[in-house]
Amino acid sequence: MRILVLGGGAAGSIVANKVVAGLGDLVDRGDVEIVVLDKSEYHYYQPGYIFVAMGEEEPEHFVRKERDLLDSRIQFYYGEKGEVVKIIPNENKVLTKDGTEWKYDILVIALGSIPDYDAIPGFREGAYAFYTLDESVRLRDALNKFESGKIVVEVSALPYKCPVAQYEILFALHDRFKKEKKNVTFEYLFPIPGTHQHPMISPIGKKWMDERGIKVTSPFNPTKIDPEKKVIYSKEGIEVNYDLLISIPPHKAPDVIKDAGFGDWINVDPFTLEVNGYKNIYAMGDNANIPNVAKAGSAAEYQANAVAKNIIGRIKKSGNVYKYNGAAYCFILTSEDRAGYLYMDYYHPPTVSLPSKYAKWMKIAYNELYWGMSVKAEL
């Protein structure tokens, strides 16, 4: 029996490591094989990118070799051997760029989402982002040179990875430039009314912005950016001038997901993460289309736990069905040295803590625990 995991990010790696831990005897006997496919040799801890942009860590701090994070009994292929070019769900097979045809008994899709820097004309030339390491370094360098003027932080479209990321960069920079006594003003743009996609979080964000004197303009759906004039335009007919623009780019699903007929995002059972219409396919993390569940690493980790248990239970024929409860737990930077945290699930509305230095320390601590415990499924 082959369990094929597409994607070596957080969700895919955790599932693979948890499944091999639960089926170790079957793997050792050769009755079950677990294969992870990814186009990259490296594993990137994406929540760390904001620390790179803020100049608190070096880029390499958030990169490891994927092979070192996976149990040695898991097969891992990368490059052309690991880059998925076609998913054929009705035939239970996947094709990789080198021409290999991978048959599977159980498929786990965890390919993540992709920042689309070309979706808005002028984005690449006129805006900064922090959704890749290269972009985070570019933003860091620009911030180090910034002395005065107006910084605009905007979200281009919904959905996007880490729905509090824009809060974090906005509030951390506001605190930083206030401490440095630089003449810097801020404006925040959001595509729907309010400051956040969740109606219970939006007023909290608005309160934090009001306390800091940050102007909020919403709804604002960008149509183009003029890097020469330093103006961002919206379909609402609003024009906003800036000296430095930090944008959350539109996000899209990998083409192989759409080409397989799943749509932009994959509809799944919100509890088991089974793909609708397929009993042997699971989708998690950014790829899963679950209303009111964030595309965030913490949600992916909770989902991975449920998926792994269900795969183990299915193969061992235990009869147990484990359910993901909609949980997401996110730290939120509210200044350079303070953070709050947000927790929510299907049964409880969002809870947002009061900011504290302790929570900032916990956020930093988890950055380190991730490598040694979380991704290796030891938590």
Side-chain angles (χ1 to χ4, degrees), residues 54 143 146 149-154 166-179 182-189 209 212-217 240-244 246:
M54 293 296 298
L143 291 171
F146 196 76
K150 180 182 178 182
I151 294 178
V152 171
V153 174
E154 72 97 20
Q166 75 279 8
Y167 283 179
E168 295 195 289
I169 196 74
L170 177 66
F171 298 140
L173 287 177
H174 180 274
D175 184 48
R176 169 177 167 175
F177 288 122
K178 183 179 178 181
K179 288 175 180 174
K182 291 182 177 179
N183 183 23
V184 179
T185 60
F186 292 85
E187 185 169 351
Y188 177 79
L189 315 177
M209 292 179 200
R212 293 160 174 80
I214 296 171
K215 181 181 178 182
V216 176
T217 300
V240 175
N241 295 288
Y242 65 86
D243 293 294
L244 191 148
I246 302 173

mmCIF file of all heavy atoms in Angstrom, residues 54 143 146 149-154 166-179 182-189 209 212-217 240-244 246:
data_model
loop_
_atom_site.group_PDB
_atom_site.id
_atom_site.type_symbol
_atom_site.label_atom_id
_atom_site.label_comp_id
_atom_site.label_asym_id
_atom_site.label_seq_id
_atom_site.Cartn_x
_atom_site.Cartn_y
_atom_site.Cartn_z
ATOM 1 N N MET A 54 11.657 42.366 9.467
ATOM 2 C CA MET A 54 11.882 43.321 10.551
ATOM 3 C C MET A 54 13.349 43.386 10.971
ATOM 4 O O MET A 54 13.704 44.162 11.847
ATOM 5 C CB MET A 54 11.020 42.952 11.756
ATOM 6 C CG MET A 54 9.527 43.113 11.537
ATOM 7 S SD MET A 54 9.029 44.827 11.250
ATOM 8 C CE MET A 54 9.505 45.585 12.799
ATOM 9 N N LEU A 143 13.131 49.035 4.417
ATOM 10 C CA LEU A 143 12.775 49.599 5.721
ATOM 11 C C LEU A 143 13.994 50.197 6.415
ATOM 12 O O LEU A 143 13.886 51.225 7.102
ATOM 13 C CB LEU A 143 12.141 48.524 6.610
ATOM 14 C CG LEU A 143 10.747 48.041 6.180
ATOM 15 C CD1 LEU A 143 10.324 46.834 7.001
ATOM 16 C CD2 LEU A 143 9.725 49.161 6.317
ATOM 17 N N PHE A 146 14.391 53.646 5.120
ATOM 18 C CA PHE A 146 13.235 54.546 5.186
ATOM 19 C C PHE A 146 13.381 55.526 6.351
ATOM 20 O O PHE A 146 13.558 55.113 7.501
ATOM 21 C CB PHE A 146 11.954 53.732 5.354
ATOM 22 C CG PHE A 146 10.701 54.492 5.048
ATOM 23 C CD1 PHE A 146 10.334 54.757 3.738
ATOM 24 C CD2 PHE A 146 9.890 54.951 6.069
ATOM 25 C CE1 PHE A 146 9.172 55.451 3.449
ATOM 26 C CE2 PHE A 146 8.734 55.643 5.789
ATOM 27 C CZ PHE A 146 8.362 55.900 4.478
ATOM 28 N N GLY A 149 7.905 59.630 5.851
ATOM 29 C CA GLY A 149 6.901 59.532 4.808
ATOM 30 C C GLY A 149 5.756 58.627 5.208
ATOM 31 O O GLY A 149 5.561 58.317 6.391
ATOM 32 N N LYS A 150 4.989 58.203 4.214
ATOM 33 C CA LYS A 150 3.772 57.436 4.451
ATOM 34 C C LYS A 150 3.959 55.985 4.020
ATOM 35 O O LYS A 150 4.328 55.702 2.885
ATOM 36 C CB LYS A 150 2.613 58.063 3.660
ATOM 37 C CG LYS A 150 1.280 57.346 3.821
ATOM 38 C CD LYS A 150 0.219 58.033 2.960
ATOM 39 C CE LYS A 150 -1.119 57.341 3.052
ATOM 40 N NZ LYS A 150 -2.120 57.988 2.169
ATOM 41 N N ILE A 151 3.693 55.087 4.964
ATOM 42 C CA ILE A 151 3.705 53.659 4.674
ATOM 43 C C ILE A 151 2.264 53.185 4.571
ATOM 44 O O ILE A 151 1.451 53.414 5.468
ATOM 45 C CB ILE A 151 4.446 52.864 5.768
ATOM 46 C CG1 ILE A 151 5.939 53.227 5.775
ATOM 47 C CG2 ILE A 151 4.274 51.360 5.555
ATOM 48 C CD1 ILE A 151 6.738 52.532 6.853
ATOM 49 N N VAL A 152 1.950 52.525 3.473
ATOM 50 C CA VAL A 152 0.630 51.935 3.281
ATOM 51 C C VAL A 152 0.767 50.417 3.371
ATOM 52 O O VAL A 152 1.622 49.816 2.722
ATOM 53 C CB VAL A 152 0.020 52.332 1.919
ATOM 54 C CG1 VAL A 152 -1.260 51.540 1.642
ATOM 55 C CG2 VAL A 152 -0.264 53.832 1.890
ATOM 56 N N VAL A 153 -0.071 49.811 4.210
ATOM 57 C CA VAL A 153 -0.134 48.356 4.324
ATOM 58 C C VAL A 153 -1.494 47.929 3.784
ATOM 59 O O VAL A 153 -2.528 48.446 4.233
ATOM 60 C CB VAL A 153 0.041 47.888 5.778
ATOM 61 C CG1 VAL A 153 -0.175 46.378 5.884
ATOM 62 C CG2 VAL A 153 1.429 48.267 6.299
ATOM 63 N N GLU A 154 -1.479 47.033 2.822
ATOM 64 C CA GLU A 154 -2.760 46.668 2.208
ATOM 65 C C GLU A 154 -2.852 45.174 1.940
ATOM 66 O O GLU A 154 -1.849 44.494 1.736
ATOM 67 C CB GLU A 154 -2.987 47.459 0.922
ATOM 68 C CG GLU A 154 -2.145 47.067 -0.253
ATOM 69 C CD GLU A 154 -2.851 46.111 -1.218
ATOM 70 O OE1 GLU A 154 -4.092 46.019 -1.215
ATOM 71 O OE2 GLU A 154 -2.136 45.452 -1.982
ATOM 72 N N GLN A 166 -0.862 41.024 8.105
ATOM 73 C CA GLN A 166 -0.861 42.466 7.829
ATOM 74 C C GLN A 166 -0.946 43.274 9.119
ATOM 75 O O GLN A 166 -0.365 44.361 9.223
ATOM 76 C CB GLN A 166 -2.012 42.834 6.876
ATOM 77 C CG GLN A 166 -3.393 42.844 7.492
ATOM 78 C CD GLN A 166 -4.022 41.453 7.606
ATOM 79 O OE1 GLN A 166 -3.388 40.448 7.358
ATOM 80 N NE2 GLN A 166 -5.299 41.411 7.981
ATOM 81 N N TYR A 167 -1.676 42.774 10.117
ATOM 82 C CA TYR A 167 -1.686 43.419 11.431
ATOM 83 C C TYR A 167 -0.276 43.461 12.001
ATOM 84 O O TYR A 167 0.176 44.478 12.533
ATOM 85 C CB TYR A 167 -2.565 42.625 12.400
ATOM 86 C CG TYR A 167 -4.052 42.780 12.276
ATOM 87 C CD1 TYR A 167 -4.894 42.065 13.127
ATOM 88 C CD2 TYR A 167 -4.640 43.628 11.341
ATOM 89 C CE1 TYR A 167 -6.272 42.169 13.051
ATOM 90 C CE2 TYR A 167 -6.023 43.748 11.263
ATOM 91 C CZ TYR A 167 -6.835 43.014 12.109
ATOM 92 O OH TYR A 167 -8.196 43.130 12.044
ATOM 93 N N GLU A 168 0.410 42.330 11.912
ATOM 94 C CA GLU A 168 1.712 42.205 12.555
ATOM 95 C C GLU A 168 2.730 43.186 11.978
ATOM 96 O O GLU A 168 3.421 43.887 12.720
ATOM 97 C CB GLU A 168 2.215 40.768 12.415
ATOM 98 C CG GLU A 168 1.370 39.755 13.157
ATOM 99 C CD GLU A 168 2.078 38.424 13.294
ATOM 100 O OE1 GLU A 168 2.220 37.725 12.277
ATOM 101 O OE2 GLU A 168 2.501 38.099 14.418
ATOM 102 N N ILE A 169 2.833 43.230 10.652
ATOM 103 C CA ILE A 169 3.816 44.136 10.058
ATOM 104 C C ILE A 169 3.428 45.582 10.309
ATOM 105 O O ILE A 169 4.287 46.440 10.566
ATOM 106 C CB ILE A 169 3.983 43.851 8.539
ATOM 107 C CG1 ILE A 169 5.265 44.501 8.016
ATOM 108 C CG2 ILE A 169 2.781 44.273 7.745
ATOM 109 C CD1 ILE A 169 6.526 43.820 8.411
ATOM 110 N N LEU A 170 2.133 45.883 10.282
ATOM 111 C CA LEU A 170 1.656 47.253 10.508
ATOM 112 C C LEU A 170 1.986 47.725 11.920
ATOM 113 O O LEU A 170 2.571 48.806 12.112
ATOM 114 C CB LEU A 170 0.152 47.307 10.258
ATOM 115 C CG LEU A 170 -0.547 48.640 10.510
ATOM 116 C CD1 LEU A 170 -0.073 49.702 9.528
ATOM 117 C CD2 LEU A 170 -2.067 48.458 10.403
ATOM 118 N N PHE A 171 1.630 46.935 12.914
ATOM 119 C CA PHE A 171 1.812 47.371 14.303
ATOM 120 C C PHE A 171 3.280 47.344 14.721
ATOM 121 O O PHE A 171 3.728 48.210 15.486
ATOM 122 C CB PHE A 171 0.964 46.509 15.242
ATOM 123 C CG PHE A 171 -0.507 46.605 14.990
ATOM 124 C CD1 PHE A 171 -1.320 45.485 15.046
ATOM 125 C CD2 PHE A 171 -1.102 47.820 14.676
ATOM 126 C CE1 PHE A 171 -2.685 45.569 14.808
ATOM 127 C CE2 PHE A 171 -2.459 47.926 14.432
ATOM 128 C CZ PHE A 171 -3.257 46.786 14.495
ATOM 129 N N ALA A 172 4.028 46.354 14.246
ATOM 130 C CA ALA A 172 5.448 46.301 14.581
ATOM 131 C C ALA A 172 6.187 47.502 14.006
ATOM 132 O O ALA A 172 7.036 48.113 14.680
ATOM 133 C CB ALA A 172 6.058 45.000 14.080
ATOM 134 N N LEU A 173 5.864 47.875 12.775
ATOM 135 C CA LEU A 173 6.532 49.024 12.162
ATOM 136 C C LEU A 173 6.089 50.333 12.797
ATOM 137 O O LEU A 173 6.898 51.254 12.968
ATOM 138 C CB LEU A 173 6.257 49.055 10.662
ATOM 139 C CG LEU A 173 6.986 48.007 9.838
ATOM 140 C CD1 LEU A 173 6.586 48.095 8.380
ATOM 141 C CD2 LEU A 173 8.505 48.167 9.975
ATOM 142 N N HIS A 174 4.820 50.424 13.151
ATOM 143 C CA HIS A 174 4.352 51.633 13.835
ATOM 144 C C HIS A 174 5.132 51.847 15.120
ATOM 145 O O HIS A 174 5.581 52.955 15.432
ATOM 146 C CB HIS A 174 2.850 51.510 14.118
ATOM 147 C CG HIS A 174 2.267 52.706 14.809
ATOM 148 N ND1 HIS A 174 2.276 52.856 16.183
ATOM 149 C CD2 HIS A 174 1.672 53.823 14.315
ATOM 150 C CE1 HIS A 174 1.712 53.995 16.496
ATOM 151 N NE2 HIS A 174 1.325 54.607 15.398
ATOM 152 N N ASP A 175 5.331 50.764 15.868
ATOM 153 C CA ASP A 175 6.073 50.850 17.126
ATOM 154 C C ASP A 175 7.539 51.185 16.869
ATOM 155 O O ASP A 175 8.130 52.029 17.559
ATOM 156 C CB ASP A 175 5.951 49.515 17.859
ATOM 157 C CG ASP A 175 6.616 49.532 19.230
ATOM 158 O OD1 ASP A 175 6.378 50.487 19.988
ATOM 159 O OD2 ASP A 175 7.368 48.589 19.533
ATOM 160 N N ARG A 176 8.107 50.550 15.879
ATOM 161 C CA ARG A 176 9.531 50.764 15.565
ATOM 162 C C ARG A 176 9.813 52.229 15.221
ATOM 163 O O ARG A 176 10.729 52.846 15.788
ATOM 164 C CB ARG A 176 9.932 49.868 14.401
ATOM 165 C CG ARG A 176 11.303 50.169 13.797
ATOM 166 C CD ARG A 176 11.607 49.166 12.713
ATOM 167 N NE ARG A 176 12.752 49.536 11.881
ATOM 168 C CZ ARG A 176 13.253 48.762 10.937
ATOM 169 N NH1 ARG A 176 12.713 47.569 10.706
ATOM 170 N NH2 ARG A 176 14.277 49.146 10.214
ATOM 171 N N PHE A 177 9.035 52.794 14.304
ATOM 172 C CA PHE A 177 9.324 54.164 13.873
ATOM 173 C C PHE A 177 8.938 55.193 14.936
ATOM 174 O O PHE A 177 9.532 56.267 14.996
ATOM 175 C CB PHE A 177 8.628 54.446 12.542
ATOM 176 C CG PHE A 177 9.262 53.734 11.383
ATOM 177 C CD1 PHE A 177 8.534 52.865 10.587
ATOM 178 C CD2 PHE A 177 10.611 53.913 11.094
ATOM 179 C CE1 PHE A 177 9.123 52.207 9.527
ATOM 180 C CE2 PHE A 177 11.219 53.253 10.039
ATOM 181 C CZ PHE A 177 10.476 52.399 9.253
ATOM 182 N N LYS A 178 7.970 54.847 15.778
ATOM 183 C CA LYS A 178 7.646 55.726 16.900
ATOM 184 C C LYS A 178 8.816 55.786 17.875
ATOM 185 O O LYS A 178 9.199 56.866 18.358
ATOM 186 C CB LYS A 178 6.380 55.224 17.605
ATOM 187 C CG LYS A 178 5.924 56.116 18.749
ATOM 188 C CD LYS A 178 4.648 55.572 19.400
ATOM 189 C CE LYS A 178 4.220 56.440 20.571
ATOM 190 N NZ LYS A 178 2.993 55.898 21.229
ATOM 191 N N LYS A 179 9.419 54.640 18.167
ATOM 192 C CA LYS A 179 10.575 54.599 19.066
ATOM 193 C C LYS A 179 11.758 55.369 18.471
ATOM 194 O O LYS A 179 12.520 56.019 19.201
ATOM 195 C CB LYS A 179 10.989 53.149 19.325
ATOM 196 C CG LYS A 179 10.040 52.361 20.206
ATOM 197 C CD LYS A 179 10.494 50.911 20.287
ATOM 198 C CE LYS A 179 9.568 50.088 21.165
ATOM 199 N NZ LYS A 179 9.927 48.642 21.142
ATOM 200 N N LYS A 182 10.840 58.897 14.119
ATOM 201 C CA LYS A 182 10.835 59.289 12.718
ATOM 202 C C LYS A 182 9.439 59.750 12.312
ATOM 203 O O LYS A 182 8.437 59.280 12.849
ATOM 204 C CB LYS A 182 11.288 58.122 11.839
ATOM 205 C CG LYS A 182 12.761 57.774 12.016
ATOM 206 C CD LYS A 182 13.186 56.645 11.085
ATOM 207 C CE LYS A 182 14.682 56.355 11.228
ATOM 208 N NZ LYS A 182 15.124 55.235 10.354
ATOM 209 N N ASN A 183 9.402 60.661 11.360
ATOM 210 C CA ASN A 183 8.134 61.225 10.907
ATOM 211 C C ASN A 183 7.512 60.281 9.876
ATOM 212 O O ASN A 183 7.672 60.443 8.668
ATOM 213 C CB ASN A 183 8.358 62.615 10.305
ATOM 214 C CG ASN A 183 7.060 63.268 9.881
ATOM 215 O OD1 ASN A 183 5.984 62.922 10.379
ATOM 216 N ND2 ASN A 183 7.150 64.209 8.950
ATOM 217 N N VAL A 184 6.805 59.267 10.383
ATOM 218 C CA VAL A 184 6.210 58.244 9.533
ATOM 219 C C VAL A 184 4.726 58.130 9.860
ATOM 220 O O VAL A 184 4.349 58.035 11.032
ATOM 221 C CB VAL A 184 6.893 56.873 9.735
ATOM 222 C CG1 VAL A 184 6.228 55.811 8.859
ATOM 223 C CG2 VAL A 184 8.382 56.965 9.417
ATOM 224 N N THR A 185 3.897 58.154 8.836
ATOM 225 C CA THR A 185 2.466 57.937 8.998
ATOM 226 C C THR A 185 2.070 56.636 8.303
ATOM 227 O O THR A 185 2.808 56.112 7.467
ATOM 228 C CB THR A 185 1.642 59.100 8.417
ATOM 229 O OG1 THR A 185 1.934 59.218 7.020
ATOM 230 C CG2 THR A 185 1.976 60.404 9.130
ATOM 231 N N PHE A 186 0.883 56.120 8.671
ATOM 232 C CA PHE A 186 0.439 54.830 8.159
ATOM 233 C C PHE A 186 -1.005 54.909 7.664
ATOM 234 O O PHE A 186 -1.825 55.646 8.219
ATOM 235 C CB PHE A 186 0.519 53.752 9.252
ATOM 236 C CG PHE A 186 1.917 53.408 9.669
ATOM 237 C CD1 PHE A 186 2.571 54.160 10.647
ATOM 238 C CD2 PHE A 186 2.588 52.345 9.096
ATOM 239 C CE1 PHE A 186 3.869 53.848 11.039
ATOM 240 C CE2 PHE A 186 3.882 52.025 9.482
ATOM 241 C CZ PHE A 186 4.521 52.777 10.453
ATOM 242 N N GLU A 187 -1.291 54.103 6.644
ATOM 243 C CA GLU A 187 -2.665 53.902 6.195
ATOM 244 C C GLU A 187 -2.848 52.421 5.901
ATOM 245 O O GLU A 187 -1.933 51.752 5.407
ATOM 246 C CB GLU A 187 -2.984 54.734 4.963
ATOM 247 C CG GLU A 187 -4.456 54.635 4.534
ATOM 248 C CD GLU A 187 -4.857 55.646 3.475
ATOM 249 O OE1 GLU A 187 -4.049 56.548 3.184
ATOM 250 O OE2 GLU A 187 -5.977 55.532 2.941
ATOM 251 N N TYR A 188 -4.038 51.918 6.207
ATOM 252 C CA TYR A 188 -4.341 50.496 6.067
ATOM 253 C C TYR A 188 -5.491 50.331 5.087
ATOM 254 O O TYR A 188 -6.540 50.993 5.212
ATOM 255 C CB TYR A 188 -4.729 49.923 7.434
ATOM 256 C CG TYR A 188 -5.136 48.472 7.436
ATOM 257 C CD1 TYR A 188 -4.178 47.459 7.388
ATOM 258 C CD2 TYR A 188 -6.482 48.101 7.525
ATOM 259 C CE1 TYR A 188 -4.555 46.131 7.417
ATOM 260 C CE2 TYR A 188 -6.855 46.767 7.555
ATOM 261 C CZ TYR A 188 -5.889 45.780 7.499
ATOM 262 O OH TYR A 188 -6.263 44.455 7.530
ATOM 263 N N LEU A 189 -5.306 49.441 4.094
ATOM 264 C CA LEU A 189 -6.320 49.201 3.072
ATOM 265 C C LEU A 189 -6.745 47.737 3.132
ATOM 266 O O LEU A 189 -5.901 46.842 3.228
ATOM 267 C CB LEU A 189 -5.753 49.496 1.679
ATOM 268 C CG LEU A 189 -4.943 50.789 1.497
ATOM 269 C CD1 LEU A 189 -4.409 50.867 0.065
ATOM 270 C CD2 LEU A 189 -5.784 52.005 1.826
ATOM 271 N N MET A 209 -6.018 50.004 15.596
ATOM 272 C CA MET A 209 -5.574 51.020 14.639
ATOM 273 C C MET A 209 -5.991 52.418 15.083
ATOM 274 O O MET A 209 -5.216 53.373 14.965
ATOM 275 C CB MET A 209 -6.114 50.694 13.245
ATOM 276 C CG MET A 209 -5.476 49.444 12.660
ATOM 277 S SD MET A 209 -6.113 49.002 11.041
ATOM 278 C CE MET A 209 -5.630 47.265 10.981
ATOM 279 N N ARG A 212 -3.726 53.877 17.596
ATOM 280 C CA ARG A 212 -2.435 54.298 17.055
ATOM 281 C C ARG A 212 -2.559 55.426 16.032
ATOM 282 O O ARG A 212 -1.546 55.859 15.472
ATOM 283 C CB ARG A 212 -1.729 53.090 16.431
ATOM 284 C CG ARG A 212 -1.304 52.034 17.460
ATOM 285 C CD ARG A 212 -1.060 50.688 16.791
ATOM 286 N NE ARG A 212 -0.510 49.703 17.725
ATOM 287 C CZ ARG A 212 -1.236 49.023 18.601
ATOM 288 N NH1 ARG A 212 -2.546 49.227 18.692
ATOM 289 N NH2 ARG A 212 -0.661 48.149 19.418
ATOM 290 N N GLY A 213 -3.780 55.831 15.764
ATOM 291 C CA GLY A 213 -3.993 56.901 14.802
ATOM 292 C C GLY A 213 -3.740 56.466 13.364
ATOM 293 O O GLY A 213 -3.366 57.280 12.516
ATOM 294 N N ILE A 214 -3.980 55.192 13.082
ATOM 295 C CA ILE A 214 -3.762 54.665 11.741
ATOM 296 C C ILE A 214 -5.053 54.778 10.935
ATOM 297 O O ILE A 214 -6.107 54.289 11.349
ATOM 298 C CB ILE A 214 -3.295 53.193 11.789
ATOM 299 C CG1 ILE A 214 -1.932 53.104 12.492
ATOM 300 C CG2 ILE A 214 -3.222 52.596 10.389
ATOM 301 C CD1 ILE A 214 -1.487 51.680 12.787
ATOM 302 N N LYS A 215 -4.969 55.406 9.786
ATOM 303 C CA LYS A 215 -6.137 55.572 8.928
ATOM 304 C C LYS A 215 -6.501 54.244 8.270
ATOM 305 O O LYS A 215 -5.642 53.526 7.781
ATOM 306 C CB LYS A 215 -5.863 56.624 7.849
ATOM 307 C CG LYS A 215 -7.043 56.885 6.919
ATOM 308 C CD LYS A 215 -6.692 57.917 5.848
ATOM 309 C CE LYS A 215 -7.869 58.141 4.900
ATOM 310 N NZ LYS A 215 -7.529 59.114 3.826
ATOM 311 N N VAL A 216 -7.802 53.947 8.256
ATOM 312 C CA VAL A 216 -8.304 52.729 7.635
ATOM 313 C C VAL A 216 -9.161 53.105 6.431
ATOM 314 O O VAL A 216 -10.076 53.934 6.541
ATOM 315 C CB VAL A 216 -9.139 51.885 8.616
ATOM 316 C CG1 VAL A 216 -9.733 50.668 7.906
ATOM 317 C CG2 VAL A 216 -8.299 51.449 9.812
ATOM 318 N N THR A 217 -8.872 52.504 5.280
ATOM 319 C CA THR A 217 -9.685 52.700 4.079
ATOM 320 C C THR A 217 -10.166 51.332 3.606
ATOM 321 O O THR A 217 -9.365 50.478 3.231
ATOM 322 C CB THR A 217 -8.879 53.383 2.959
ATOM 323 O OG1 THR A 217 -8.419 54.657 3.412
ATOM 324 C CG2 THR A 217 -9.740 53.582 1.720
ATOM 325 N N VAL A 240 -4.697 56.112 -3.564
ATOM 326 C CA VAL A 240 -3.958 56.301 -2.314
ATOM 327 C C VAL A 240 -2.484 56.486 -2.646
ATOM 328 O O VAL A 240 -1.864 55.645 -3.299
ATOM 329 C CB VAL A 240 -4.143 55.101 -1.360
ATOM 330 C CG1 VAL A 240 -3.266 55.267 -0.120
ATOM 331 C CG2 VAL A 240 -5.600 54.952 -0.958
ATOM 332 N N ASN A 241 -1.936 57.596 -2.202
ATOM 333 C CA ASN A 241 -0.511 57.872 -2.371
ATOM 334 C C ASN A 241 0.283 57.186 -1.270
ATOM 335 O O ASN A 241 -0.202 57.013 -0.139
ATOM 336 C CB ASN A 241 -0.255 59.378 -2.312
ATOM 337 C CG ASN A 241 -0.915 60.107 -3.468
ATOM 338 O OD1 ASN A 241 -0.478 60.016 -4.602
ATOM 339 N ND2 ASN A 241 -1.987 60.821 -3.170
ATOM 340 N N TYR A 242 1.516 56.837 -1.595
ATOM 341 C CA TYR A 242 2.376 56.201 -0.602
ATOM 342 C C TYR A 242 3.827 56.563 -0.881
ATOM 343 O O TYR A 242 4.197 56.956 -1.995
ATOM 344 C CB TYR A 242 2.203 54.672 -0.644
ATOM 345 C CG TYR A 242 2.667 54.034 -1.939
ATOM 346 C CD1 TYR A 242 4.000 53.672 -2.137
ATOM 347 C CD2 TYR A 242 1.770 53.789 -2.975
ATOM 348 C CE1 TYR A 242 4.430 53.103 -3.325
ATOM 349 C CE2 TYR A 242 2.193 53.213 -4.165
ATOM 350 C CZ TYR A 242 3.519 52.874 -4.342
ATOM 351 O OH TYR A 242 3.939 52.310 -5.512
ATOM 352 N N ASP A 243 4.633 56.417 0.142
ATOM 353 C CA ASP A 243 6.081 56.470 -0.032
ATOM 354 C C ASP A 243 6.679 55.066 -0.023
ATOM 355 O O ASP A 243 7.679 54.808 -0.673
ATOM 356 C CB ASP A 243 6.707 57.331 1.066
ATOM 357 C CG ASP A 243 6.301 58.794 0.935
ATOM 358 O OD1 ASP A 243 6.693 59.431 -0.057
ATOM 359 O OD2 ASP A 243 5.561 59.287 1.808
ATOM 360 N N LEU A 244 6.039 54.168 0.742
ATOM 361 C CA LEU A 244 6.436 52.763 0.754
ATOM 362 C C LEU A 244 5.169 51.932 0.896
ATOM 363 O O LEU A 244 4.374 52.159 1.817
ATOM 364 C CB LEU A 244 7.417 52.468 1.882
ATOM 365 C CG LEU A 244 8.115 51.100 1.849
ATOM 366 C CD1 LEU A 244 9.517 51.197 2.450
ATOM 367 C CD2 LEU A 244 7.319 50.043 2.623
ATOM 368 N N ILE A 246 3.496 48.215 1.388
ATOM 369 C CA ILE A 246 3.660 46.819 1.795
ATOM 370 C C ILE A 246 2.339 46.124 1.525
ATOM 371 O O ILE A 246 1.305 46.505 2.077
ATOM 372 C CB ILE A 246 4.039 46.699 3.282
ATOM 373 C CG1 ILE A 246 5.332 47.467 3.573
ATOM 374 C CG2 ILE A 246 4.186 45.232 3.672
ATOM 375 C CD1 ILE A 246 5.679 47.536 5.047
#
